[in-house]
Amino acid sequence: MDIVDKTTDDATLRFYMAQALGARAYSYWMLAQLWQFNYMDNPEAPCVPIITENNAETAAVDGIGRATVRQVYAQILNDIETAIGCLDGNPVEREDKRYIDIAVLYGLRARANLCMGKYEDAYSDAKEAISRTQASPLSAAEASVPGFNNADDHNWMWGIIIEEPDANGLYTFSGFMGSFSYGYAYAGQWQLVNSRLFDRVPSADVRKGWWINPVTRHSIADNYFATYQGLSASEYLDAVEAPEYAVVKFAPYNDVLRQPTGATDIPLMRVEEMYLIAAEAKAMTNATEGKSLVEEFVNTYRWTDSATRYSCNATTSEAVRDEIFFQRQIELWGEGFEYIDRLRLNKGIDRRNANFNPDWAFNIPAKAAVLLYQIPQAEIEGNPGITQADQNPAGTAQL
């Protein structure tokens, strides 16, 4: 970013400067989630090095040590604030959703403020993101068939657009997550929901159909229009011996069953997340209002029983937040949020007594060292500012 004058009035340059700043903010936010525990309990704990245009040359020669969590978040917020200034009132519009717009920036800041426990700011930013975006949530009817494969969908705010030439082989999002594609699932590596999570989803919630029901074999694939060699989507899943609890949330590229091309787009931000951030942030300052917001979201967009409405039974802020965490587990399943949500909320990971292979069962308590990523050895060897003493402590899962 040092090649662009930060005071420039050129709208195009300011647009691209916002892309760089927004991407850097997102990257540091992701790094902060994985290399140190949450901001609220550990603001002065070592996080990751901060390298910007201001210190890149020095860092390349002398190295740079780990900044604190507080310092990393300060950099994140500063980058987002500058990026918002670059886009606010800027006439240059993004060509597609691989680019960051101002609504995405408010969404990124809502995430950061939620992690910092700045709940009023998180609520305000989430509402601003909803107001500024053209995206709108999927209806229950729209969520009743597989999807989440195309950035043009009206509920996407930001995503990675995958072109066909970039989707060779099985190492794609669709290759790993898709039950309908020719990928790892087809070869036996199915992506399954934890049975305990599945059992908690009410039958009136359309999202219960995002996985194969172990009793009825029903799922949203029953309503899916694609066919393969005369087989419906459900018949196809039976033919390839898809197991109970297998995910059917993600449609294949171009909605073609047993699709060998994995050029499905990858969601980075959907507007539904903003509704859940707003509900959680509000719950932490006013449990009743937070409860009302999560009820409104589920009943408006995910509930199928008009006679019996969804009701959040929690009454305290922490209990409402736990219910919203549950809603995030369902809504954002497979999109990369639950792990970092667990670290953010000091929740362990218990995979015992569920539907998984018992050889894979484990129980990791909250704040266990094994939850944090280790600093790569190449970083320790190549960065004079970091030594082995700076390494995150190692740990093992309790089986």
Side-chain angles (χ1 to χ4, degrees):
M1 279 170 286
D2 54 345
I3 64 174
V4 177
D5 181 359
K6 293 182 176 59
T7 64
T8 181
D9 292 329
D10 186 284
T12 299
L13 290 178
R14 290 180 67 78
F15 174 84
Y16 284 111
M17 187 160 59
Q19 302 307 305
L21 290 165
R24 185 166 72 184
Y26 170 74
S27 299
Y28 273 116
W29 177 76
M30 283 298 303
L31 291 171
Q33 310 312 302
L34 301 175
W35 266 271
Q36 190 49 262
F37 292 116
N38 64 32
Y39 178 96
M40 289 186 286
D41 295 340
N42 310 274
E44 305 307 324
C47 193
V48 295
I50 298 175
I51 300 178
T52 70
E53 63 278 11
N54 297 322
N55 66 351
E57 292 185 5
T58 301
V61 177
D62 300 329
I64 187 168
R66 299 176 70 177
T68 65
V69 175
R70 188 190 304 276
Q71 290 169 329
V72 172
Y73 272 87
Q75 180 67 47
I76 292 167
L77 294 181
N78 181 69
D79 280 349
I80 294 174
E81 182 69 24
T82 305
I84 288 174
C86 289
L87 291 188
D88 203 6
N90 192 322
V92 177
E93 296 185 1
R94 62 181 182 176
E95 296 177 10
D96 53 50
K97 294 178 186 176
R98 82 187 73 195
Y99 296 100
I100 294 170
D101 67 4
I102 197 165
V104 171
L105 291 172
Y106 278 106
L108 290 175
R109 196 166 70 180
R111 289 178 180 175
N113 281 323
L114 189 68
C115 289
M116 298 174 73
K118 298 171 64 175
Y119 297 119
E120 292 183 357
D121 290 340
Y123 173 79
S124 176
D125 282 335
K127 296 294 287 186
E128 190 71 17
I130 293 169
S131 173
R132 296 264 191 157
T133 188
Q134 295 180 349
S136 58
L138 293 180
S139 67
E142 290 171 322
S144 69
V145 294
F148 303 94
N149 62 343
N150 191 332
D152 289 335
D153 289 346
H154 66 77
N155 61 324
W156 287 42
M157 296 174 64
W158 186 34
I160 300 173
I161 296 178
I162 306 298
E163 307 291 350
E164 287 189 12
D166 301 323
N168 295 321
L170 303 182
Y171 45 86
T172 62
F173 185 82
S174 179
F176 281 104
M177 299 300 299
S179 293
F180 301 110
S181 306
Y182 179 75
Y184 289 102
Y186 178 81
Q189 188 175 312
W190 300 92
Q191 300 296 328
L192 312 179
V193 67
N194 186 309
S195 60
R196 288 182 297 185
L197 177 62
F198 179 86
D199 291 344
R200 289 184 60 194
V201 182
S203 58
D205 191 321
V206 70
R207 295 170 296 184
K208 198 174 186 77
W210 287 0
W211 305 276
I212 296 176
N213 190 300
V215 177
T216 65
R217 293 288 297 179
H218 291 169
S219 71
I220 56 173
D222 300 342
N223 305 321
Y224 195 36
F225 56 84
T227 62
Y228 173 73
Q229 295 183 350
L231 300 176
S232 70
S234 293
E235 291 169 336
Y236 170 82
L237 292 174
D238 288 338
V240 296
E241 300 180 346
E244 300 169 353
Y245 304 107
V247 62
V248 296
K249 172 182 177 180
F250 302 105
Y253 178 57
N254 286 341
D255 298 327
V256 175
L257 284 175
R258 204 185 177 191
Q259 170 67 266
T261 302
T264 56
D265 300 331
I266 304 173
L268 293 177
M269 184 181 292
R270 292 194 287 115
V271 71
E272 290 93 341
E273 179 200 354
M274 295 300 110
Y275 282 81
L276 293 173
I277 288 178
E280 180 179 341
K282 180 59 70 174
M284 297 310 292
T285 59
N286 186 311
T288 300
E289 291 185 18
K291 165 184 160 72
S292 177
L293 287 176
V294 70
E295 289 175 341
E296 180 181 5
F297 171 78
V298 175
N299 282 315
T300 302
Y301 301 110
R302 297 296 180 260
W303 205 250
T304 61
D305 183 356
S306 59
T308 305
R309 307 292 282 169
Y310 159 77
S311 177
C312 171
N313 296 321
T315 57
T316 67
S317 290
E318 290 73 16
V320 175
R321 179 175 62 185
D322 281 345
E323 172 63 16
I324 295 168
F325 168 64
F326 168 63
Q327 294 298 329
R328 288 175 64 93
Q329 287 180 283
I330 308 169
E331 181 67 35
L332 303 173
W333 193 95
E335 298 179 47
F337 286 93
E338 181 172 346
Y339 188 83
I340 59 179
D341 275 350
R342 287 186 176 277
L343 269 63
R344 175 173 67 87
L345 298 172
N346 288 328
K347 294 182 180 294
I349 304 176
D350 187 351
R351 290 295 181 263
R352 302 168 300 170
N353 304 320
N355 54 297
F356 298 123
N357 186 321
D359 293 337
W360 304 340
F362 55 83
N363 179 32
I364 305 175
K367 301 184 180 180
V370 72
L371 293 171
L372 293 183
Y373 278 35
Q374 293 273 285
I375 299 172
Q377 189 62 34
E379 177 71 12
I380 296 174
E381 294 174 355
N383 182 350
I386 292 180
T387 70
Q388 194 64 46
D390 297 306
Q391 180 64 278
N392 281 337
T396 57
Q398 178 181 346
L399 302 180

